Amino acid sequence: MKVGIVGAGMVGSAAGYALALMGTASHIVLVDRDEKLARAQAEDIAHAVPFASSARVEDGGYDALAGCGVVILAAGVSQKPGETRLALLERNAAVFRDVVAEVLRAAPDTILLVATNPVDIMTYIATRISGLPPARVIGSGTILDTARFRWLVGQHLRIAPHSVHAYVLGEHGDSEVLAWSAARAGSVELSSFAAQVGAPITASVRERIDGGVRRAAYTIIEGKGATWYGIGAGLARIVRAIARDEEAVLSVSIRMDAVAGVRDVALSVPRVVGASGVTADLLPHLDPGETEALAASAALLKETGEALAL
């Protein structure tokens, strides 16, 4: 599959690097308004290809996106000192109007994969301005939060995170919901598994893991300024599900008619992802507290989306 990446900064380049090493994409094109940056990132990634795959990696303009099955949107503007979150969102919405139009002009049949933060709102915006069906405008959503959740649970239980089946729902942000009640290790309910291996999930353990998931980005940003490796790998995982028509269950964000009593909002729940994009939503059983938290997360995103001048 040919994959385009618009925005050759740290997130976009990390996604390109992960795609090249995994061999998921046969052809990767990086596009950026800073042409020198796009060229440098493409060449740097291309020099890693001989060690791992046979992917073709290059930079180019929007016309070079022709034939892309997926285009990752990692472009956006940074927040100015004193600028409100809403003002930043409106400036990023303006960027997306131009970017999405150019992408669809070159690759009208592509699937848009949104990585720009705040990703749920930007996914909603991209869906609105593109006119594409929601199934073809996918936000990375909580795929990284879910990975962090599984990694921390796996560490506690001393098992591989691949054996942990647990999801983070709602916003990719502070209102996200860790779905503890639906979590499993192997095929066993989490608390039962934990008891059997002598690593009970106590209230303090849950609090530590919950905080570890929610604060992960802040810890990384404090140490190195931004996060990029984790989300780069997450984006590559979503592309693989599309490229191989895996019908894989992933926690990604799309615009949906209603969730938890809130209408017309983009957020994450487990979803089936394949060659045509999202083919099904899967709502896990939640306890009353988790249901209430998901409704609050949806309401927060809805309120922010309605305040935008689109």
Side-chain angles (χ1 to χ4, degrees):
M1 174 181 278
K2 182 178 180 180
V3 177
I5 302 172
V6 180
M10 296 311 301
V11 170
S13 62
Y17 182 60
L19 285 166
L21 290 191
M22 291 167 62
T24 299
S26 59
H27 188 180
I28 302 166
V29 179
L30 281 85
V31 177
D32 197 284
R33 64 179 181 178
D34 184 341
E35 295 178 0
K36 289 184 178 180
L37 174 63
R39 186 172 304 116
Q41 298 284 33
E43 288 197 17
D44 199 11
I45 295 168
H47 298 162
V49 167
F51 300 111
S53 72
S54 58
R56 175 183 169 193
V57 185
E58 62 182 356
D59 65 291
Y62 284 105
D63 288 344
L65 298 176
C68 283
V70 177
V71 175
I72 297 171
L73 303 181
V77 294
S78 300
Q79 193 164 12
K80 297 177 180 178
E83 184 177 33
T84 66
R85 184 169 179 263
L86 185 60
L88 173 64
L89 277 169
E90 289 176 344
R91 288 203 297 130
N92 268 326
V95 170
F96 262 40
R97 286 190 194 96
D98 294 335
V99 168
V100 170
E102 288 294 316
V103 169
L104 293 181
R105 177 185 59 79
D109 298 323
T110 196
I111 291 173
L112 299 179
L113 178 51
V114 181
T116 302
N117 275 321
V119 69
D120 302 291
I121 300 297
M122 296 310 297
T123 300
Y124 182 87
I125 290 170
T127 308
R128 284 274 302 271
I129 63 181
S130 70
L132 293 174
R136 287 178 52 201
V137 184
I138 304 172
S140 56
T142 59
I143 195 164
L144 179 55
D145 310 275
T146 290
R148 291 165 173 162
F149 188 17
R150 294 177 178 184
W151 179 67
L152 287 166
V153 170
Q155 280 196 316
H156 175 72
L157 298 178
R158 298 182 295 278
I159 62 173
H162 287 88
S163 296
V164 179
H165 308 290
Y167 295 92
V168 177
L169 316 178
E171 178 195 20
H172 171 56
D174 293 340
S175 72
E176 65 190 18
V177 181
L178 278 65
W180 284 98
S181 62
R184 299 288 185 273
S187 61
V188 181
E189 190 273 328
L190 194 62
S191 61
S192 175
F193 185 100
Q196 292 181 55
V197 299
I201 306 287
T202 63
S204 62
V205 168
R206 285 181 58 148
E207 183 178 358
R208 174 176 57 80
I209 291 175
D210 188 282
V213 174
R214 294 178 190 278
R215 293 194 301 269
Y218 299 109
T219 301
I220 294 168
I221 289 168
E222 182 181 356
K224 68 175 194 175
T227 69
W228 55 81
Y229 293 127
I231 189 55
L235 291 164
R237 177 67 187 93
I238 298 168
V239 173
R240 190 178 81 184
I242 296 168
R244 299 183 182 178
D245 196 17
E246 289 183 347
E247 299 293 337
V249 178
L250 304 171
S251 56
V252 294
S253 181
I254 68 169
R255 182 182 178 185
M256 52 198 308
D257 291 336
V259 61
V262 179
R263 299 189 61 80
D264 191 26
V265 65
L267 51 67
S268 289
V269 298
R271 293 189 159 96
V272 179
V273 181
S276 58
V278 170
T279 58
D281 297 337
L282 305 171
L283 293 171
H285 174 76
L286 303 175
D287 66 28
E290 292 165 345
T291 300
E292 183 178 348
L294 181 59
S297 184
L300 175 64
L301 289 166
K302 175 71 171 178
E303 180 183 354
T304 302
E306 288 182 338
L308 283 171
L310 294 179

